[in-house]
Amino acid sequence: MKKKLVIANWKMYIESPEAAKKFIATLKRKMPAHQGVDAWVAAPSALIQSLAGKGPVKIGAQSVSAHADGAHTGELSAALLKAAGAQFVIVGHSERRSPPAGGGETNDSVHQQVIRAAEVGLIPVLCIGETERTPEGAHFTFIEEQLASALRGTETVLTKLVIAYEPLWAIGKQAEDAMKPAELQETVIFIRKTLVNVLGRTDGLKVPVLYGGSVEPDNARALIDDGGVSGLLVGRAGADIDSFVEILKKVGRPLKDDRAA
Ligand code: PGA
C-alpha cells in the first residue's frame, strides 16, 4: 500500500511552546508503529525552530511571504522558514485568501508563494477549494482556476508538491458536515485531470491530493477509502493529540475491511 499522508494544521490552537513540545513528544510515543502513514505538523512559525527535528514528523509553516526579501513588515521569507527547520509550508489556505477572510491573498500571491517555497526547497502544500457548490458545477471552474493560476509556469522550480482540497463550506465543523466520500471522489478525479493538464502527465499523476474540512477519527478512513485521496489535512482534530493519533491509526491500517475495527 502506498503510504498515506496526514497533516495537522495547528492554526493558532496550540497556545504555548510547552504544549507544542508535549504534543510532539506524545506523538513520538503513540504514533502507530506500522508504516502505512506519514504525519506532518504545520505549526505557528514562532514554534518551528524548537520543534524541528525533535519528533517522528516533518514540521512546516502555515504561510510564507510572496516576496523573497525586502521591505515587508511582519512577513516571513521562505528562506528564513527553511533555516528555522521547516520542511514544507501550507500555501493559500482559505483563512488567508480574500474573500472571505483576513489575509487578503489572491491567486497571484498564492502563485508567488508556491515559487518562493519551491525556490528554497520547502514543499508547498497548496490549498484549493470552493466557497459553495452550485448545481451548475461552477465550483469545478473555480477549482481549476485556483490550480492553474497557482501552478502555471512553476515546472522549472517545483520538484515536490502536495494539494489539499478543502471546500470552505466543510471547514471547522463536525464529521457529519464533512464532504461525503462519493462527492469527494468525483472532485479528486477532476483535480487530477487538471493537474495533468497543467503539469504534464508524469508530474500531474505523482502529486498527492489530500482532503481537508471537518476530518475526525470517525470519518477519516472512509474519506481515504471511498474518497480516493492520498491523505488528509486536519485542523481542529489535528491539534488534539488523542484525536490526531486516532486518525493516524485509522488511516495507517492496510486493509479497507479494517475500517470498522
Ligand atoms: P478543520 O480545518 O479540520 O478544523 O475543519 C481544516 C483546515 O482548515 O485546514
Side-chain angles (χ1 to χ4, degrees):
M1 184 181 88
K2 197 161 182 325
K3 260 192 183 185
K4 302 299 179 202
L5 172 61
V6 180
I7 306 179
N9 176 11
W10 276 359
K11 308 191 181 186
M12 279 177 31
Y13 289 127
I14 301 277
E15 288 171 350
S16 69
E18 294 72 30
K21 280 185 196 152
K22 190 166 163 215
F23 186 109
I24 298 296
T26 313
L27 191 57
K28 199 171 182 173
R29 270 203 331 275
K30 295 193 172 171
M31 200 162 144
H34 52 72
Q35 295 302 305
V37 62
D38 279 326
W40 297 2
V41 170
S45 297
L47 297 176
I48 290 172
Q49 196 149 25
S50 64
L51 301 178
K54 303 274 185 332
V57 295
K58 275 191 185 26
I59 300 293
Q62 298 172 12
S63 170
V64 61
S65 177
H67 308 280
D69 54 26
H72 304 287
T73 304
E75 302 260 308
L76 269 170
S77 71
L80 274 183
L81 291 172
K82 171 93 172 168
Q87 292 178 274
F88 70 95
V89 60
I90 293 178
V91 168
H93 191 280
S94 60
E95 285 156 13
R96 300 194 56 81
R97 285 185 191 252
S98 179
E105 291 174 6
T106 60
N107 276 351
D108 185 51
S109 63
V110 169
H111 171 67
Q112 295 302 326
Q113 289 179 55
V114 170
I115 293 176
R116 296 289 89 80
E119 279 170 348
V120 303
L122 289 174
I123 304 168
V125 177
L126 172 63
C127 294
I128 54 165
E130 75 281 1
T131 350
E132 56 178 7
R133 297 209 138 202
T134 59
E136 301 76 44
H139 46 278
F140 286 120
T141 318
F142 188 84
I143 292 169
E144 188 174 22
E145 178 53 25
Q146 283 187 326
L147 274 174
S149 60
L151 299 177
R152 204 172 278 133
T154 57
E155 299 86 346
T156 48
V157 280
L158 202 58
T159 49
K160 275 193 181 163
L161 170 72
V162 174
I163 299 296
Y165 169 61
E166 300 203 301
L168 262 71
W169 47 267
I171 292 180
K173 302 188 179 146
Q174 310 293 319
E176 59 268 24
D177 302 306
M179 195 171 203
K180 299 294 165 272
E183 211 176 1
L184 175 58
Q185 193 181 41
E186 182 196 48
T187 314
V188 170
I189 291 168
F190 178 79
I191 291 171
R192 181 68 65 202
K193 210 175 102 223
T194 308
L195 285 171
V196 166
N197 284 343
V198 178
L199 298 176
R201 193 175 160 76
T202 314
D203 291 340
L205 289 177
K206 273 198 308 228
V207 177
V209 178
L210 316 185
Y211 167 80
S214 302
V215 174
E216 295 189 347
D218 278 355
N219 60 1
R221 189 63 204 227
L223 285 162
I224 297 264
D225 279 347
D226 303 332
V229 284
S230 328
L232 304 165
L233 178 59
V234 192
R236 203 167 29 82
D240 177 278
I241 186 66
D242 293 334
S243 302
F244 192 53
V245 168
E246 201 50 36
I247 290 171
L248 292 176
K249 284 186 179 158
K250 296 209 166 173
V251 170
R253 280 196 198 121
L255 295 175
K256 188 168 179 167
D257 295 344
D258 282 345
R259 198 185 322 164

